[in-house]
Structures are given as C-alpha cells and as structure tokens.
Amino acid sequence: MPPAAHALLGASSAERWLACPPSVRLSEKFPDTAGVFAREGTLAHSLAELKVRSYFTVMAKSAYTRAYNKIRKDELFSTEMDNVTDAYLDYIKDCAMQFPAPPTVACEVKVNFSGYVPDGFGTADLVMIGGNTLRVIDFKYGKGVPVEVTDNAQMKLYALGALAQYALLYKVERVILSIAQLRLGEPTEWETTPDELYKWASEYVRPRAQQAYNGEGEFHAGDHCRFCRAKAKCRAYAEANTAVTEQHTPDEDPALLTDEEIGRLLTRAEPFLKWFGAVQTYALDAALDGKTIPGWKAVEGRSVRQFDDIDAAFADLRAAGIEDALLYERKPLTLSGVERLLGKKQFAELCGGHVVKPAGKPTLVPESDSRKPYSRAAADFAAIEQ
Ligand code: SF4
C-alpha cells in the first residue's frame, strides 16, 4: 500500500502493534518521519496502479498517455520503475487468468476491518475476486528488506476488510495473499481460508488491538522495533539490546567469553548497531534542538577546505603562469567505467583477456550466507596445488 492517510492501528504497522500493543500510544510522543523517504515508492505505486487500471478498466488512450507522461517527468522516475511496474501488470494478468471466469479487479481498495480493530482501515493495492476465490495483492517497490507473505498480518487484515466488503456477493472459500516485491524476485503467495482469518482476528487480533488502542499491554522488543517511532528512547528495546544474558558452564573460565558467546554476540551486533544508531540520531537532534543530553554536546564536524569557485581559482592560477599539465591529473577509467563505455561485448573482445579477479578479503558473515566457507589453511593448500 502506498503511504497515505494512516489509521492509528494501521494494517501496515500491524506486525508491530500486535507484538507490542503499548507501542502505539508510546509512538504518539514522537514525530512521524516515514513519509520523507517514501516518495519514490508512492510514484511507483501510482505507475503500477495506472497500468493495471488501463488494462482492466475502460481508460481512454489519451488519458493514459497524459498520466504516464506526467509520471515520466518526475525526477524519481526510472527505467527500472517502468520495467518493474510492467512486470507487476504481467503478474496481475496471470492471476486473473487463473480464475475460471474473468474476476472483478479493483485497485486501491479502501478496506475496513474495524470489526476487529478500533478505527481499523487501510488501502489494499489490488483486490481480485471471482467464484470462490479472493486474491489480495500488495505491490512493494522497496528492496531493502524482503517482506514475508506467509502469515503476514498486514495482508491478513486487508483480506478481512475485503471479505467484509464482498461477502454478500461472493461465497469465498479460498483467500490467496500475494506480495509483489519484484525488485527482489518473483511474487510470493500464501493461501488461507476465511474461517482461519476470522479465528485469528477474533482470538488474536481483537484483544491486542483493544490493548493497543487503550495504551495497555506488555512491551515486547523484537525485529518489529525497527519501524517504531519510539525506538531510540524505548526502555524495553534498550534493555533487549544491552542485556547480558550469557552464562558460563562450571568448567569454563568465567573471566573469558566462550566461542559460543562470541557467536551469539555477533548475531546480536546488527540489531544492536541499528538501535545504537537510532539513539545517536535522537541525541544529536535533541542537542541541536537545545536540549541537554548529560555528558554530550553537538559540535561542527570536521570539514575540508574547498574552492568557492574552482573555475575562477584555476583562471587565476593560469594567469599566474601555472600550466594545465600541473593543475590536472590524468587518471585511467576503472574496469567498470571502461565496460560501460564500450558495452559488454566490445569490452570482452578488446580487453577481456586482461581481466582477473583476485581473491576477496576474508570477511565474517552469518552461517546462512550462501558463500562457501573460507579458511587460511584451505587457501594455502589450494595455492600449493596450483
Ligand atoms: S521500540 Fe519495540 S519494544 Fe519499544 S515500544 Fe516500540 S515496538 Fe515496543
């Protein structure tokens, strides 16, 4: 869903408020800065919607061209955006083909799930319904964090809203939820039933939503804290990031960390550093706003000298007899620069034989990383064999 008017208990933040109900009222104490970074996503959503509407509804070609050209003129428009939204339309067409008869297709559907969530509403990117099947599809342009569709609370709330809207007209037995995050790969789908959704909503969502609305419930820190406006000052999140929970077995030296502890610390490092960055940002903003953070202050960072007008400065140097050969460096293009200049084919023909790929510097990554493990001994042995 593109960022737009936000409900207090919005579907897009449901993962967070379901896990940590009091985060909703706590967040109200902090400014909402999410919209600042969302303009590219909003533009991509507009383009995706335009393409889907022009295919599935009656739209004059001139109206489409006008709207398309307006989007193209935006500085955030890119060829990638055009390609990704084309792929999105192809996916929507594929989904529609799977219905035995042409389904009803609706874009930007206002869905209301206030039967379970106080003032709960949202906007589903696309709802497709026909026969006994409801499809709810979410287009995501971001490529930072892959979003999992299985059991996705946002999508399930959209589906509940869509069911409420269409239940009188259709006897839905299958609900298929999709997330099309096409810059990261193929769309992903997850199937459920209306009965499972109603059970989840009544037993799990409704009580937590009421707690969230009332500002009650237990704080619970986790991955969802990344998107919480209170994250820099939240005590529960700080405690989760700084707590020392490791314990030694009796036969280990308590003065030293075990390798298991080192492994667990490294696993915690990434969320810790993100949290710590949020704390630093908060403290800098507070200091710049004139607040006191005991022991800290804001100062001007280091800067390097620069010409206010490099052309004028060089003109003066030339006038004083300094030659261009002394004023300019001649640097070769990088390998990628030469490849961009020539294109892959000509690059390969002309200088492909000179390309080597030295071994990369060893780096520590989580076990889940797909690269082969590397060890000094194995590398030395391979070198001797060669
Ligand atoms: S930072 Fe995490 S634990 Fe704290 S209020 Fe927000 S979601 Fe809850």
Side-chain angles (χ1 to χ4, degrees):
M1 169 187 123
H6 286 296
L8 178 68
L9 300 180
S12 57
S13 57
E15 283 313 330
R16 172 177 56 77
W17 57 254
L18 285 168
C20 178
S23 65
V24 172
R25 293 296 177 187
L26 195 66
S27 293
E28 288 183 319
K29 299 180 201 275
F30 300 90
D32 184 0
T33 53
V36 177
F37 307 103
R39 226 175 62 71
E40 189 188 34
T42 305
L43 188 74
H45 270 87
S46 303
L47 186 55
E49 183 190 349
L50 176 68
K51 289 181 180 180
V52 172
R53 275 195 204 282
S54 91
Y55 184 84
F56 284 97
T57 64
V58 182
M59 182 185 277
K61 195 160 187 315
S62 57
Y64 173 82
T65 309
R66 240 189 342 270
Y68 179 73
N69 286 340
K70 188 167 172 226
I71 292 173
R72 271 189 76 97
K73 280 195 193 126
D74 194 296
E75 58 183 6
L76 293 175
F77 173 85
S78 63
T79 311
E80 182 183 21
M81 190 180 285
D82 213 14
N83 293 339
V84 165
T85 47
D86 279 349
Y88 176 65
L89 175 61
D90 287 344
Y91 173 63
I92 303 299
K93 289 190 215 165
D94 282 350
C95 291
M97 297 280 286
Q98 288 165 27
F99 284 78
T104 297
V105 177
C107 293
E108 295 298 305
V109 181
K110 301 273 174 263
V111 286
N112 185 323
F113 41 89
S114 57
Y116 303 99
V117 176
D119 302 335
F121 66 88
T123 307
D125 288 336
L126 194 132
V127 171
M128 192 178 279
I129 190 161
N132 68 355
T133 303
L134 167 72
R135 276 182 169 270
V136 181
I137 299 169
D138 199 43
F139 172 74
K140 295 206 184 291
Y141 192 64
K143 59 177 184 179
V145 181
V147 182
E148 174 62 54
V149 71
T150 304
D151 238 348
N152 183 293
Q154 176 184 12
M155 298 301 291
K156 290 202 286 186
L157 288 174
Y158 286 160
L160 283 163
L163 282 169
Q165 193 160 328
Y166 293 99
L168 284 178
L169 300 172
Y170 296 88
K171 185 164 173 8
V172 176
E173 288 165 10
R174 300 174 68 202
V175 177
I176 304 172
L177 307 178
S178 311
I179 292 181
Q181 197 171 11
L182 300 164
R183 290 163 92 197
L184 291 183
E186 294 296 308
T188 49
E189 298 183 351
W190 182 69
E191 183 167 339
T192 182
T193 64
D195 284 348
E196 280 172 358
L197 288 173
Y198 295 141
K199 188 170 179 328
W200 171 75
S202 309
E203 295 177 6
Y204 184 74
V205 176
R206 188 179 276 139
R208 281 167 182 77
Q210 198 56 55
Q211 282 185 327
Y213 194 79
N214 298 344
E216 296 164 353
E218 299 272 316
F219 286 100
H220 176 72
D223 260 4
H224 49 269
C225 295
R226 274 181 303 164
F227 306 110
C228 182
R229 274 144 58 185
K231 67 185 172 193
K233 287 203 82 180
C234 171
R235 186 172 300 281
Y237 193 32
E239 283 175 359
N241 273 298
T242 53
V244 178
T245 55
E246 320 302 347
Q247 282 174 356
H248 281 80
T249 54
D251 55 337
E252 287 166 335
D253 182 348
L256 297 174
L257 294 173
T258 65
D259 285 350
E260 284 71 25
E261 284 172 305
I262 300 269
R264 284 196 289 272
L265 278 172
L266 289 168
T267 305
R268 286 171 50 185
E270 198 184 329
F272 174 88
L273 291 173
K274 280 192 179 140
W275 163 76
F276 192 67
V279 173
Q280 282 181 312
T281 304
Y282 165 80
L284 176 60
D285 283 346
L288 290 174
D289 287 345
K291 292 187 194 143
T292 303
I293 301 289
W296 294 85
K297 63 183 176 186
V299 294
E300 264 189 35
R302 288 186 201 290
S303 70
V304 287
R305 293 176 307 153
Q306 57 188 32
F307 292 119
D308 61 346
D309 179 342
I310 194 166
D311 292 334
F314 273 42
D316 287 349
L317 290 166
R318 274 191 218 101
I322 314 287
E323 290 178 13
D324 275 359
L326 297 172
L327 292 173
Y328 292 91
E329 286 176 337
R330 193 159 160 256
K331 274 196 193 161
L333 286 179
T334 61
L335 184 149
S336 310
V338 177
E339 193 177 45
R340 265 197 304 277
L341 181 76
L342 302 178
K344 281 189 189 310
K345 192 160 172 266
Q346 199 183 9
F347 174 87
E349 282 166 12
L350 296 182
C351 59
H354 294 290
V355 176
V356 290
K357 194 163 186 301
K361 187 171 165 224
T363 183
L364 196 62
V365 296
E367 222 165 30
S368 54
D369 190 282
S370 57
R371 282 168 288 182
K372 284 193 306 209
Y374 173 94
S375 76
R376 272 191 208 111
D380 290 348
F381 185 67
I384 291 165
E385 271 203 325
Q386 272 178 9

